Amino acid sequence: MDFLGKKTYADEFSMKQAIISKMKDFILEIGKDFIYMGQEYRLQVGCEDFRIDLLFFHRELRCLVAFEVKMGRFHPSDLGQLEFYLEALDRDVKKQHENPSIGILLCKDKDDEVVEYAMSRSLSPTLVAEYQLNLPTKKILQAKIKELFDEKNDN
């Protein structure tokens, strides 16, 4: 968490907001094809409101990209939450000419075997990654997004 500086936070919400703010700036820098759509993007399903941490549109992939940030270790229920958001985006937000939404789940830590089990039956294009103090290069991130999109098209 060094990229947040030495600042201490009163609660998890304010720390999460600081992380999201830094991420938003970073993602907007990694490529001209990302269009920022919102932070804490509101979705209404039934009579309940839900909020996606960050929502972007990727022009080249022609799809919505939802980012969820988790303060702790990956848990399989995090994936269920993100898949729920992707379904809501595809049903209620996505335009007819756009591709299915992509989800990226950023966790403080993950156990690769738990992630593999959790994603083994998942049909949604989703990526689970640990956030790091040293961010990957723009080229690596663009390649990962393209790889995820290509996998989705192969299925």
Side-chain angles (χ1 to χ4, degrees):
M1 299 299 222
D2 290 345
F3 67 93
L4 294 175
K6 301 286 183 195
K7 184 176 179 182
T8 57
Y9 295 91
D11 54 30
E12 185 175 303
F13 177 79
S14 57
M15 180 183 239
K16 189 173 177 179
Q17 291 305 309
I19 291 170
I20 289 170
S21 176
K22 296 280 187 187
M23 276 183 44
K24 177 180 75 175
D25 294 340
F26 174 73
I27 291 166
L28 288 172
E29 287 180 22
I30 66 171
K32 295 177 183 172
D33 283 340
F34 279 102
I35 299 168
Y36 176 68
M37 292 187 61
Q39 179 176 332
E40 294 293 316
Y41 188 89
R42 183 178 163 271
L43 294 170
Q44 185 174 13
V45 177
C47 295
E48 293 187 53
D49 286 342
F50 299 91
R51 302 215 180 261
I52 298 172
D53 289 337
L54 282 172
L55 184 62
F56 290 86
F57 183 80
H58 194 278
R59 291 177 55 213
E60 183 178 341
L61 301 178
R62 294 185 335 268
C63 68
L64 297 164
V65 182
F67 285 82
E68 274 297 302
V69 180
K70 298 300 178 188
M71 295 302 301
R73 189 174 181 87
F74 169 81
H75 191 273
S77 62
D78 301 333
L79 184 60
Q81 176 188 16
L82 185 55
E83 288 180 340
F84 174 81
Y85 291 164
L86 295 177
E87 184 64 25
L89 286 170
D90 285 348
R91 287 187 188 198
D92 301 333
V93 180
K94 176 180 91 68
K95 306 284 186 204
Q96 190 172 9
H97 65 278
E98 295 171 353
N99 290 313
S101 302
I102 293 174
I104 298 177
L105 180 60
L106 296 172
C107 304
K108 185 174 183 180
D109 191 25
K110 67 182 173 77
D111 179 318
D112 290 335
E113 192 169 2
V114 173
V115 172
E116 180 185 339
Y117 274 56
M119 294 186 69
S120 66
R121 294 184 184 219
S122 175
L123 300 176
S124 298
T126 303
L127 174 69
V128 176
E130 296 174 37
Y131 49 84
Q132 304 170 353
L133 299 180
N134 297 320
L135 295 170
T137 66
K138 177 179 174 179
K139 260 188 186 170
I140 291 172
L141 287 172
Q142 288 174 332
K144 282 289 185 190
I145 290 171
K146 184 174 180 350
E147 176 185 317
L148 183 63
F149 184 71
D150 291 344
E151 284 178 17
K152 176 187 63 98
N153 283 339
D154 290 343
N155 292 333

